[in-house]
Amino acid sequence: MKKTINLMTAAALLLAAGVSADAADKRYPIAYVQKVEITDPSHRNIAWENKDFLNCDDVVLTEEDVRYALRHMRRVSWKGYDPEQVVDATGCEGEALVTFKNGRVLAMGIEPTGRIGTAEYDRKADIVTGSTSFYECSSCRTRKMALLKDALNRADERRLKRLVAEGQLSASEAERRLNWARVQRDKP
């Protein structure tokens, strides 16, 4: 009986660990957020913008996006965040300042792909040493990309039209690929 209870306890702990894989950073509890200020709802880094994937003009960061990210982001290393090493970097991001009740301010840059860069400031607007962090939020990506389905469809269309114009693809094949991509995007 005791062995069964211990196994059930171990299973529950493993399940809890799995559920929290996309859990919030405990340093920034959503309950202590005093104010969220969107400083730049849509910003592009021209060097990194990939319009074949997503046009930055189609992406707008909202307060709801920031609060959602705070609830679901998990910390990653620079290597996991580095735009030169990651395939889905868009070059698009929105920027926000989150003020907590203790006076700390978290500056956030959030990409629609769920990649997040942060820096923390104290009450005097001095950066907190060692506070620069990088996060991944897969549920943020899923949520934002679902909202941006039309923008992604337009990006696919632009890319395929360019391939047809360059003679790398026939018009009928481009249409088939576009329809396939839209069907895949519409799957639950």
Side-chain angles (χ1 to χ4, degrees):
M1 182 76 163
K2 254 186 177 178
K3 191 174 190 177
T4 304
I5 292 172
N6 287 339
L7 287 174
M8 288 175 31
T9 304
L13 288 172
L14 286 173
L15 179 62
V19 170
S20 66
D22 201 23
D25 186 326
K26 295 193 185 327
R27 295 178 300 165
Y28 309 117
I30 193 75
Y32 293 108
V33 172
Q34 183 176 1
K35 179 175 84 170
V36 174
E37 177 188 352
I38 305 298
T39 56
D40 194 347
S42 182
H43 172 77
R44 77 184 81 224
N45 179 337
I46 300 302
W48 289 107
E49 183 181 20
N50 181 354
K51 286 191 178 185
D52 286 344
F53 180 68
L54 184 65
N55 186 334
C56 294
D57 294 336
D58 295 329
V59 182
V60 177
L61 182 69
T62 66
E63 181 177 338
E64 184 181 336
D65 294 331
V66 175
R67 290 180 181 277
Y68 190 87
L70 285 169
R71 283 192 290 277
H72 299 282
M73 64 188 192
R74 68 176 177 80
R75 200 167 183 178
V76 295
S77 67
W78 166 251
K79 188 176 181 180
Y81 180 86
D82 184 2
E84 291 183 16
Q85 303 300 321
V86 178
V87 180
D88 67 352
T90 63
C92 305
E93 80 173 7
E95 297 174 353
L97 295 175
V98 180
T99 305
F100 292 90
K101 292 177 183 174
N102 65 1
R104 295 268 173 131
V105 176
L106 183 67
M108 300 177 74
I110 303 175
E111 286 191 26
T113 57
R115 294 161 33 85
I116 303 166
T118 66
E120 190 176 322
Y121 295 85
D122 63 18
R123 291 177 191 259
K124 298 175 187 174
D126 293 328
I127 193 160
V128 175
T129 306
S131 70
T132 300
S133 298
F134 306 99
Y135 294 88
E136 185 73 27
C137 180
S138 58
S139 59
C140 296
R141 173 193 176 96
T142 302
R143 179 179 167 277
K144 194 66 175 179
M145 289 306 186
L147 294 171
L148 295 171
K149 208 182 296 187
D150 289 336
L152 293 169
N153 288 339
R154 287 191 302 275
D156 287 341
E157 195 170 337
R158 280 190 303 274
R159 180 177 46 80
L160 291 168
K161 280 183 179 177
R162 189 185 75 238
L163 290 173
V164 169
E166 292 172 355
Q168 296 181 19
L169 204 59
S170 69
S172 60
E173 178 62 14
E175 185 67 28
R176 187 190 69 73
R177 288 184 185 185
L178 183 59
N179 289 335
W180 181 85
R182 288 179 176 168
V183 166
Q184 294 303 309
R185 206 168 272 130
D186 287 338
K187 284 184 178 179

